[in-house]
């Protein structure tokens, strides 16, 4: 199934400026991070609108039976597309979950008007190409408070909230993450899903490559072990992470509209972190396992619904940037609807 589908493939339609801008935005949004790098979205471009649809064939039945992480991932792609449009001078008009009879239609995106992009939006747009999930140990330097404040503002602007854990609460996140890891790794169904999405070749354009999963070692807060059976990964006995900060992104509601909002906010937070030279890695195992999610609910003061946790730090002083995960890319993404028949 193609990721981007044009309903009208005539040259006239393809060369329409709005169609071209929406196609370009959908291609850029392909860089969005997603659960297990499943890229569970599809874009249908009709005339001057782009429909964002959930791709249920890419839902993870064990990890994500409800589709929460799928919808969150689609929200990240939606925000990436909005930034891509705004960054090229198009003010997007977005209608979210517009049809109650069609819950997989997550958004319809059009172009409201034109306006030159602000420097902030230009930086966010540029950050899309540079952002990676960074699971390596962070540098032993404190994260500046003003950077953390910008991440909080970014979440609020999208209608969500970012709770930064005070250092003496981190131990509770450690409890939640350990509990989540133990519960998931004990489930053969989970292990099967993990193996299916971590043992792909780069050519498939999806999944989590082994070289992005970070070293093996004891961490202050465990990160998801993507390859529990792999024996050829670098080992660091004690990954101290003294200066890492942890945060919980949460929303007021807990329904598909809130999950979509959480995804848009996650995108805004991750891209803002990139523009502030901060490294990040999302943690959703603590949401997937109900008893761990309950700990996060307590950690945010029972004021909302935890959607994803984040590990934030100063990137390691390494000559290599964080390795990237592949994407379905290029022209193969775009297929004209009538060419499929
Ligand atoms: C909703 C969501 C949940 C994620 N959960 C985790 C997680 O629990 N642990 C982790 O290390 N990475 C997690 N990630 C990061 C993805 O694995 C990552 O985005 C994907 O493999 C693509 O890599 P990239 O972010 O470097 O482009 C999550 C990302 C999203 C959007």
């Amino acid at each position: 199934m193609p990721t981007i589908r044009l309903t009208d493939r005539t040259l006239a339609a393809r060369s329409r400026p709005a169609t071209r801008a929406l196609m370009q935005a959908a291609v850029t949004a392909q860089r969005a991070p997603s659960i297990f790098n499943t890229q569970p979205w599809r874009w249908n471009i009709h005339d001057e609108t782009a429909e964002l649809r959930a791709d249920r064939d890419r839902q993870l039945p064990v990890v994500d039976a409800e589709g929460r992480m799928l919808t969150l991932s689609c929200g990240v792609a939606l925000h990436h597309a909005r930034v891509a449009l705004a960054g090229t001078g198009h003010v997007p008009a977005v209608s979210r979950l517009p049809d109650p009879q069609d819950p997989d239609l997550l958004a319809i995106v059009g172009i409201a008007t034109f306006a030159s992009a602000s420097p902030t939006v230009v930086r966010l747009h540029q950050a899309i190409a540079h952002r990676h999930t960074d699971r390596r140990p962070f540098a032993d330097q404190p994260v500046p408070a003003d950077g953390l404040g910008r991440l909080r503002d970014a979440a609020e602007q999208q209608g969500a909230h970012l709770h930064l854990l005070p250092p003496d609460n981190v131990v509770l996140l450690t409890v939640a993450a350990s509990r989540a890891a133990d519960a998931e790794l004990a489930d053969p169904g989970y292990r099967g899903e993990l193996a299916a999405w971590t043992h792909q070749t780069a050519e498939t354009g999806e999944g989590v490559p082994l070289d992005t999963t970070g070293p093996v070692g004891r961490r202050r807060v465990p990160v998801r072990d993507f390859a529990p059976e792999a024996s050829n990964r670098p080992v660091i006995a004690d990954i101290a992470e003294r200066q890492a900060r942890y945060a919980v992104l949460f929303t007021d509601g807990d329904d598909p509209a809130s999950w979509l909002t959480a995804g848009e906010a996650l995108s805004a937070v991750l891209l803002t972190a990139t523009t502030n030279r901060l490294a990040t890695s999302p943690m959703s195992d603590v949401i997937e396992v109900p008893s761990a999610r309950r700990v996060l609910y307590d950690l945010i003061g029972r004021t909302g619904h935890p959607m994803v946790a984040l590990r934030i730090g100063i990137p390691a002083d390494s000559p290599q940037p964080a390795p990237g995960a592949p994407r379905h890319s290029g022209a193969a993404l775009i297929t004209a609807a009538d060419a499929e028949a």
Side-chain angles (χ1 to χ4, degrees):
M1 189 63 79
T3 302
I4 304 172
R5 191 164 167 268
L6 285 171
T7 50
D8 180 353
R9 66 172 188 154
T10 59
L11 192 59
R14 291 178 87 120
S15 50
R16 223 176 269 150
T19 309
R20 290 171 68 90
L22 291 167
M23 265 168 60
Q24 189 50 54
V27 170
T28 302
Q30 200 58 27
R31 295 291 333 150
S34 56
I35 182 78
F36 285 20
N37 198 19
T38 49
Q39 305 159 53
W41 50 75
R42 277 192 282 137
W43 296 93
N44 287 338
I45 301 180
H46 314 284
D47 298 334
E48 307 206 335
T49 58
E51 287 181 359
L52 172 64
R53 303 194 72 89
D55 184 348
R56 296 286 166 191
D57 291 343
R58 301 188 150 267
Q59 185 169 342
L60 300 170
V62 177
V63 168
D64 188 29
E66 284 182 296
R68 178 195 297 266
M69 290 302 151
L70 172 144
T71 309
L72 241 133
S73 301
C74 291
V76 181
L78 174 59
H79 182 263
H80 270 50
R82 286 170 47 209
V83 168
L85 287 169
T88 52
H90 306 87
V91 178
V94 183
S95 165
R96 293 171 181 80
L97 291 162
D99 183 355
Q101 306 304 319
D102 187 0
D104 285 346
L105 175 57
L106 298 178
I108 298 180
V109 182
I111 295 168
T113 182
F114 303 92
S116 54
S118 68
T120 306
V121 169
V122 170
R123 280 197 293 275
L124 290 178
H125 188 200
Q126 289 167 345
I128 290 176
H130 301 123
R131 184 214 55 82
H132 297 294
T133 297
D134 192 344
R135 303 180 183 91
R136 300 174 303 177
F138 295 141
D140 196 15
Q141 290 169 39
V143 181
D146 57 346
L148 292 171
R150 286 189 204 110
L151 303 189
R152 224 174 6 220
D153 293 347
E156 292 289 334
Q157 280 164 18
Q158 303 302 319
H161 318 282
L162 191 70
H163 177 83
L164 288 162
L165 293 188
D168 55 358
N169 276 359
V170 171
V171 65
L172 290 171
L173 183 65
T174 307
V175 169
S178 309
R179 195 179 279 181
D182 290 348
E184 292 197 316
L185 287 170
D187 176 354
Y190 171 81
R191 280 186 175 254
E193 224 157 63
L194 197 64
W197 288 94
T198 46
H199 291 79
Q200 308 227 10
T201 58
E203 296 73 56
T204 62
E206 58 192 29
V208 181
L210 204 57
D211 68 346
T212 68
T213 59
V216 180
R218 199 164 55 79
R219 299 194 188 232
R220 188 163 155 225
V221 178
V223 301
R224 192 194 294 273
D225 187 353
F226 278 93
E229 267 118 46
S231 54
N232 52 347
R233 285 190 298 165
V235 176
I236 301 179
D238 192 10
I239 305 174
E241 306 239 79
R242 274 181 291 270
Q243 305 286 1
R245 294 300 306 266
Y246 298 89
V248 180
L249 182 79
F250 67 99
T251 46
D252 299 327
D254 188 19
D255 52 9
S258 308
W259 305 344
L260 195 65
T261 297
E264 292 181 83
L266 175 60
S267 168
V269 169
L270 297 178
L271 295 178
T272 303
T274 303
T275 64
N276 283 273
R277 294 189 162 70
L278 295 175
T280 50
S281 64
M283 299 165 57
S284 60
D285 47 358
V286 286
I287 304 294
E288 293 150 18
V289 173
S291 63
R293 188 157 84 233
R294 179 83 208 177
V295 175
L296 267 62
Y297 176 64
D298 290 341
L299 274 175
I300 63 170
R302 305 182 176 190
T303 51
H305 299 272
M307 291 287 144
V308 69
L310 273 180
R311 175 177 158 272
I312 304 160
I314 304 287
D317 186 17
S318 159
Q320 305 294 333
R327 293 295 191 280
H328 302 141
S329 65
L333 281 175
I334 302 175
T335 306
D338 54 353
E340 286 166 42

